[in-house]
Amino acid sequence: TAHASQGLAAAAMSARAEGKRVCLYLSRPSGKARHVSNDKDVRAAIVAELNGAAGAGGSGGAAGRRQWAVLVVDERVSYKSTEARVQWMHDALLFSMADMVVGPHGGAFGNILFCPRHASIVEFNILPGPNFRPLFHSEAIMVGIDNYYTIVPRNARQDRGFYLGPMSVDLAELRGVLRLAADGVRRLDPGGPR
């Protein structure tokens, strides 16, 4: 059985062959913790900003100079079966082609260690407080890639426990952070896909 990341890796290879950069959106539209309540709007904002769709809220500016393939990674992985244990190899291949990784704080960001050195990550995280964990910031520094945050407001459930409750991402802030991240990718990989 093929894993979703196998198909996404093929899509990333195809995008590269077409001269596009690759952005992975680590979608979490539902669940008990850290799900993105405005997931569909976030997806649309990422596509619009990175591809410069002025009519869709994109800047059409620096971030829009290159075409981006935005691939949605929404797979939840269990490594209990033998078959699923090979999943990490497909994930490694997929993340090795990512110029940018965007999404809510969560274990899938652990795969950024496979990203190329010019990549940028944009992590949705809660404001610093007792439950703030900058794990992936440390990993990004270790790997040598740029790390950006979109800070989401804390809610009462998050104050009671580690990242409980939904996240609502401010789309205007997200678009600004995406511009910075895309500029970082361009700065670190000026000869990349046009």
Side-chain angles (χ1 to χ4, degrees):
T1 304
H3 295 286
S5 58
Q6 248 181 311
L8 289 171
M13 284 188 250
S14 178
R16 286 277 187 210
E18 295 170 12
K20 294 181 180 179
R21 293 211 182 264
V22 174
C23 173
L24 303 179
Y25 173 48
L26 308 178
S27 177
R28 191 184 290 235
S30 62
K32 292 181 181 179
R34 296 184 310 273
H35 74 273
V36 178
S37 59
N38 57 341
D39 186 77
K40 288 181 184 177
D41 295 332
V42 167
R43 290 180 193 202
I46 293 168
V47 171
E49 186 57 46
L50 292 179
N51 287 306
S59 68
R65 290 188 195 137
R66 296 204 172 112
Q67 288 293 322
W68 289 74
V70 178
L71 306 177
V72 178
V73 182
D74 60 4
E75 184 174 294
R76 303 237 164 78
V77 179
S78 168
Y79 291 105
K80 292 181 181 176
S81 73
T82 302
E83 180 184 342
R85 289 184 189 134
V86 299
Q87 167 93 30
W88 72 269
M89 292 183 281
H90 303 298
D91 291 345
L93 177 61
L94 176 62
F95 277 76
S96 75
M97 292 181 278
D99 297 291
M100 188 182 302
V101 180
V102 180
H105 176 89
F109 268 105
N111 290 308
I112 65 172
L113 71 99
F114 301 114
C115 288
R117 289 185 59 89
H118 68 266
S120 288
I121 67 169
V122 176
E123 180 183 349
F124 311 155
N125 213 323
I126 59 175
L127 289 169
N131 295 320
F132 180 73
R133 297 188 182 178
L135 306 170
F136 305 112
H137 177 73
S138 300
E139 186 178 342
I141 290 171
M142 178 186 74
V143 175
I145 60 178
D146 285 348
N147 178 216
Y148 302 87
Y149 285 105
T150 294
I151 302 299
V152 297
R154 297 178 68 83
N155 63 44
R157 290 188 68 203
Q158 289 163 340
D159 287 334
R160 290 195 317 265
F162 178 63
Y163 292 101
L164 295 174
M167 293 182 165
S168 180
V169 177
D170 181 296
L171 300 178
E173 179 181 333
L174 174 61
R175 286 191 291 268
V177 172
L178 288 169
R179 280 192 293 276
L180 291 171
D183 286 345
V185 169
R186 220 176 0 270
R187 177 179 41 80
L188 295 171
D189 186 30
R194 297 273 172 217

